[in-house]
Amino acid sequence: MGLKSEFFANFVIMNTKMDIIVVVILAALALFQSCNYRGGTNHYDKRLSKADSLMRANNPDSALQVLEAINASRLDGAANRAYHALLLTQAQYRCYVDINSDSTINVALNYYKHHRGEQEKLTRAYIYKGVVTEVMGEPEAAMAIYKQAISIAAPDDHFNLGYTKMRIGSLYSDHLVADSSDIVFFKAALHHFEQVPDSFYIANCMSMIGRSYNANSQVDSSLIYLERASDIAHNCQEMDLEMSSLSYLADLKMYSSNRHDIELAKSIVLSILESSYCPSTRRDHLKLVAAYTLARLNMVDSASLYLSQIKEENLNDELKVFYHDCCAEIAQCCGDIDLFKKHNDTSHHLADSLVTNNLQQRLREVETKFDNEELEKQSLQYRNRWLMSLLGISLLVIVIIAMKHYINSRSRELQERQDTIERLRDDVAQLTPRLIALKTLSDELKDTIRHQVEVYTQLVEKFASEKEKAKKDFNKAFEQSYSISNMNESFWVGLRTYVNSQYNNIIDESIATYPALNKTDINYLALYCCGLPTSVIMACMGYKEAHSAYNKKRRVAEAMNLQAGLDSYIMQYNSIDQIIE
């Protein structure tokens, strides 16, 4: 029964080990799948969440008020400070606050680079890092940053994708790239904003597309987009955007040969200049439009008045071209041919320098270089994924082979155990007749030992509760018990014969192998082989104290020169379960 139990125990252990291997493999696969993901939810300051909501609702002025009322150094945690830096930069730019440093946006960008769970905020941080870089006069660096923002944005993050592409379109438009690159990006941005949808930026993109068509002399297309932009801005009550779209429409109309169009351009631009919605960033441009349209309508004094309000040194290169066009138009109206020729030549010279400006080419090169690097990066990622997949498959094959080898090994081991059990069964079958012959002797021996145990138990129960004379009375009673139950020679002969039958002739072999053993030693060895309690051995051997039995065990082991002890020696002969209970 013991070996059968061990067989089943080993079978269970084998299956448990296999289950552990499977669990480890699944855990490793789960870790492999999630190794690129790190993130979590942040509990942001409610004021920051409110400012972000105001920003998304196209109310940056109110958002800036909320943000400026917050002391960033007292915000709890790096996440809140990064969020504040991002929103503050965003609000300042949209409220036309001068930004002279990128230190604030860098706080946000450096934080979100190391927290992948914040993909949307990381995209925004790159966008406004590009915006600040552009404002600081580094358009090429801004182009690279905008492209980086597009590369990390989520495919369904339509707003940030649209805003980034709109910024790239503006880069091309502001630097007079004449290959319609700006229109391509504005239309791509328009598509994203229509997915949101966001009427403000839809109108904004249409207005920019109309302006770009105008710059490329595609008047009909320009009119369609500008009028649609104006209608959308009017419907959503975005007066700033409506005025901006109308100002671009005025830019288109002022060059018309139709006097009615020129009058319309004049009316539009004067109404914008007189309104509270006049964008400060375009005020000089609008004054130049007013001067140009008034000059074309022969209203020279009014045209000169608007022109006098502008300082040429404060204008960018594009507006300087327009400034000299206005001066040339006024000179022509006044009949001053020399002055007209002077300003006209200056205008053409500035325009030629802008067209030949290699910045346009550098912007294109930056974009192309980034696109090529992204293609190479994607190719490398695909190659790495393929290698990782191959490695994973190889690892899985190795694990399967190892498991198969392990199962085969365990199967062989179990088969060997099964063979051992069969051999033991044969041995038991051969010993059965011998055991039957010894049954009578075994029963007599068991009765004698039971008698000794019962006497000893009665003695213990009788004297266990007495404290004063317990030791004296117990020893006296034990001596009487011993004298009554003293074993005769026939008992010892029967015991040695019994033990030989149970332990593969251990008594006979011990007598032959160890001549130093005396008769008492052999009798003790026979009793010890039966696994009897110390009290029973004491009764059979005639010992009055337990340490006498322990000393005897030690002396027998010494006489046999056993290094591992008497128990290990007996175990070498133990082949079947003991019969004595």
Side-chain angles (χ1 to χ4, degrees):
M1 291 296 294
L3 288 173
K4 187 179 290 185
S5 299
E6 183 180 0
F7 174 81
F8 285 110
N10 283 322
F11 182 78
V12 171
I13 290 172
M14 183 193 74
N15 284 280
T16 301
K17 288 181 177 179
M18 290 175 64
D19 290 342
I20 292 173
I21 292 173
V22 172
V23 170
V24 170
I25 292 172
L26 292 176
L29 291 174
L31 180 62
F32 177 77
Q33 289 294 328
S34 62
C35 66
N36 289 326
Y37 174 77
R38 287 187 304 147
T41 56
N42 287 306
H43 299 287
Y44 290 111
D45 189 295
K46 292 182 179 179
R47 294 171 295 176
L48 299 177
S49 300
K50 178 182 178 181
D52 202 350
S53 298
L54 289 169
M55 204 87 66
R56 293 178 187 277
N58 294 319
N59 195 356
D61 294 329
S62 299
L64 184 60
Q65 291 178 1
V66 173
L67 294 167
E68 288 180 339
I70 298 174
N71 187 339
S73 62
R74 294 186 178 181
L75 285 171
D76 183 23
N80 277 316
R81 290 191 288 273
Y83 196 16
H84 178 269
L86 172 61
L87 293 174
L88 183 61
T89 304
Q90 187 175 352
Q92 286 176 338
Y93 174 73
R94 292 189 58 186
C95 291
Y96 307 107
V97 176
D98 290 337
I99 301 176
N100 301 315
S101 171
D102 59 358
S103 58
T104 301
I105 191 60
N106 284 342
V107 172
L109 186 58
N110 292 334
Y111 175 84
Y112 293 124
K113 278 182 179 179
H114 299 91
H115 292 76
R116 297 185 185 179
E118 299 286 7
Q119 184 179 12
E120 190 277 335
K121 292 184 178 62
L122 175 61
T123 304
R124 258 199 287 174
Y126 269 113
I127 291 172
Y128 283 94
K129 170 69 174 179
V131 167
V132 172
T133 303
E134 185 181 349
V135 169
M136 293 172 64
E138 301 178 42
E140 295 167 80
M143 172 66 80
I145 296 170
Y146 288 144
K147 297 292 288 187
Q148 180 68 26
I150 291 175
S151 70
I152 65 163
D156 59 349
D157 189 1
H158 292 292
F159 183 86
N160 284 326
L161 285 169
Y163 192 79
T164 310
K165 291 176 181 180
M166 186 177 73
R167 296 299 314 174
I168 294 176
S170 295
L171 263 181
Y172 280 125
S173 178
D174 292 345
H175 294 90
L176 303 180
V177 177
D179 60 356
S180 301
S181 296
D182 55 347
I183 295 176
V184 172
F185 278 99
F186 286 142
K187 286 188 174 181
L190 177 61
H191 171 73
H192 286 296
F193 289 131
E194 287 174 342
Q195 300 301 311
V196 176
D198 189 307
S199 298
F200 177 83
Y201 283 103
I202 289 173
N204 216 328
C205 284
M206 287 184 173
S207 179
M208 291 179 176
I209 293 170
R211 183 184 65 171
S212 296
Y213 274 131
N214 182 25
N216 285 276
S217 301
Q218 300 182 48
V219 179
D220 292 338
S221 298
S222 178
L223 279 172
I224 292 172
Y225 277 97
L226 288 173
E227 289 173 353
R228 287 176 60 190
S230 179
D231 290 341
I232 293 173
H234 179 75
N235 291 334
C236 63
Q237 297 182 347
E238 291 288 348
M239 293 301 298
D240 290 339
L241 183 55
E242 184 180 2
M243 293 299 172
S244 177
S245 299
L246 288 173
S247 70
Y248 293 138
L249 188 61
D251 291 349
L252 178 63
K253 297 288 186 180
M254 68 179 176
Y255 293 110
S256 174
S257 58
N258 188 322
R259 184 178 179 86
H260 175 73
D261 289 339
I262 301 173
E263 290 279 0
L264 178 60
K266 182 198 72 171
S267 300
I268 290 173
V269 74
L270 292 179
S271 63
I272 294 174
L273 285 170
E274 293 172 0
S275 72
S276 58
Y277 296 98
C278 178
S280 57
T281 55
R282 285 182 56 81
R283 184 171 290 276
D284 285 341
H285 177 83
L286 291 169
K287 288 179 179 178
L288 288 174
V289 174
Y292 191 82
T293 53
L294 289 167
R296 293 200 66 193
L297 293 170
N298 293 318
M299 301 172 68
V300 177
D301 293 339
S302 298
S304 299
L305 178 62
Y306 278 103
L307 196 62
S308 65
Q309 298 175 14
I310 300 171
K311 294 182 179 180
E312 182 183 359
E313 59 270 18
N314 294 335
L315 302 176
N316 60 34
D317 291 339
E318 184 180 0
L319 287 182
K320 285 180 180 178
V321 174
F322 192 14
Y323 175 83
H324 285 284
D325 282 341
C326 291
C327 293
E329 190 67 28
I330 292 173
Q332 186 178 21
C333 290
C334 296
D336 191 336
I337 303 301
D338 292 336
L339 186 60
F340 166 79
K341 187 176 183 304
K342 174 185 175 182
H343 286 293
N344 192 53
D345 290 344
T346 302
S347 172
H348 282 84
H349 175 72
L350 290 173
D352 290 341
S353 65
L354 286 175
V355 173
T356 57
N357 188 345
N358 62 3
L359 175 61
Q360 301 171 32
Q361 182 61 30
R362 294 202 305 272
L363 284 174
R364 173 61 69 194
E365 289 174 355
V366 169
E367 185 187 0
T368 303
K369 179 183 177 182
F370 188 90
D371 290 341
N372 292 336
E373 289 175 351
E374 281 298 301
L375 287 174
E376 291 178 4
K377 188 185 299 182
Q378 289 178 6
S379 177
L380 181 61
Q381 288 176 348
Y382 290 143
R383 187 160 56 250
N384 289 341
R385 288 174 185 172
W386 183 82
L387 290 174
M388 289 300 293
S389 299
L390 182 61
L391 179 61
I393 293 171
S394 302
L395 179 61
L396 185 59
V397 170
I398 292 172
V399 170
I400 291 173
I401 294 173
M403 289 181 66
K404 185 177 180 180
H405 177 75
Y406 174 79
I407 292 171
N408 291 338
S409 175
R410 293 299 295 171
S411 297
R412 289 193 298 270
E413 184 178 345
L414 290 173
Q415 185 60 46
E416 291 174 0
R417 288 179 179 271
Q418 186 65 35
D419 295 341
T420 302
I421 291 172
E422 292 299 328
R423 288 195 300 270
L424 290 175
R425 285 176 179 170
D426 294 339
D427 293 341
V428 171
Q430 294 175 6
L431 288 172
T432 300
R434 190 177 177 185
L435 292 175
I436 293 173
L438 295 172
K439 184 178 185 302
T440 303
L441 175 62
S442 176
D443 291 342
E444 180 184 346
L445 178 61
K446 286 192 284 186
D447 290 340
T448 302
I449 293 173
R450 284 197 186 97
H451 175 70
Q452 292 294 333
V453 174
E454 289 173 0
V455 172
Y456 181 72
T457 302
Q458 291 172 6
L459 290 173
V460 173
E461 291 176 352
K462 180 178 180 181
F463 296 105
S465 61
E466 301 181 12
K467 298 182 179 179
E468 299 294 333
K469 57 178 184 174
K471 183 175 180 181
K472 181 179 179 181
D473 293 343
F474 179 80
N475 290 338
K476 182 178 179 181
F478 188 84
E479 289 175 7
Q480 291 175 355
S481 170
Y482 169 69
S483 63
I484 294 172
S485 305
N486 191 18
M487 305 300 178
N488 55 31
E489 183 60 25
S490 62
F491 168 81
W492 294 113
V493 172
L495 179 63
R496 289 194 294 270
T497 302
Y498 172 76
V499 172
N500 272 330
S501 70
Q502 302 298 309
Y503 287 89
N504 295 324
N505 294 319
I506 186 174
I507 299 299
D508 292 344
E509 290 189 11
S510 298
I511 292 172
T513 306
Y514 305 105
L517 293 174
N518 57 36
K519 188 176 182 179
T520 305
D521 295 337
I522 293 298
N523 290 341
Y524 177 84
L525 178 61
L527 285 170
Y528 195 78
C529 285
C530 293
L532 299 171
T534 302
S535 59
V536 176
I537 294 176
M538 289 169 60
C540 294
M541 296 292 294
Y543 296 144
K544 298 179 181 180
E545 296 181 355
H547 72 268
S548 298
Y550 298 142
N551 288 337
K552 188 64 176 177
K553 177 183 177 183
R554 178 177 55 78
R555 287 195 296 272
V556 169
E558 290 175 352
M560 299 172 73
N561 195 25
L562 300 176
Q563 299 296 327
L566 193 57
D567 294 289
S568 297
Y569 175 74
I570 294 171
M571 285 299 297
Q572 296 175 8
Y573 290 86
N574 186 12
S575 61
I576 60 175
D577 295 338
Q578 296 182 28
I579 295 177
I580 294 182
E581 297 175 356

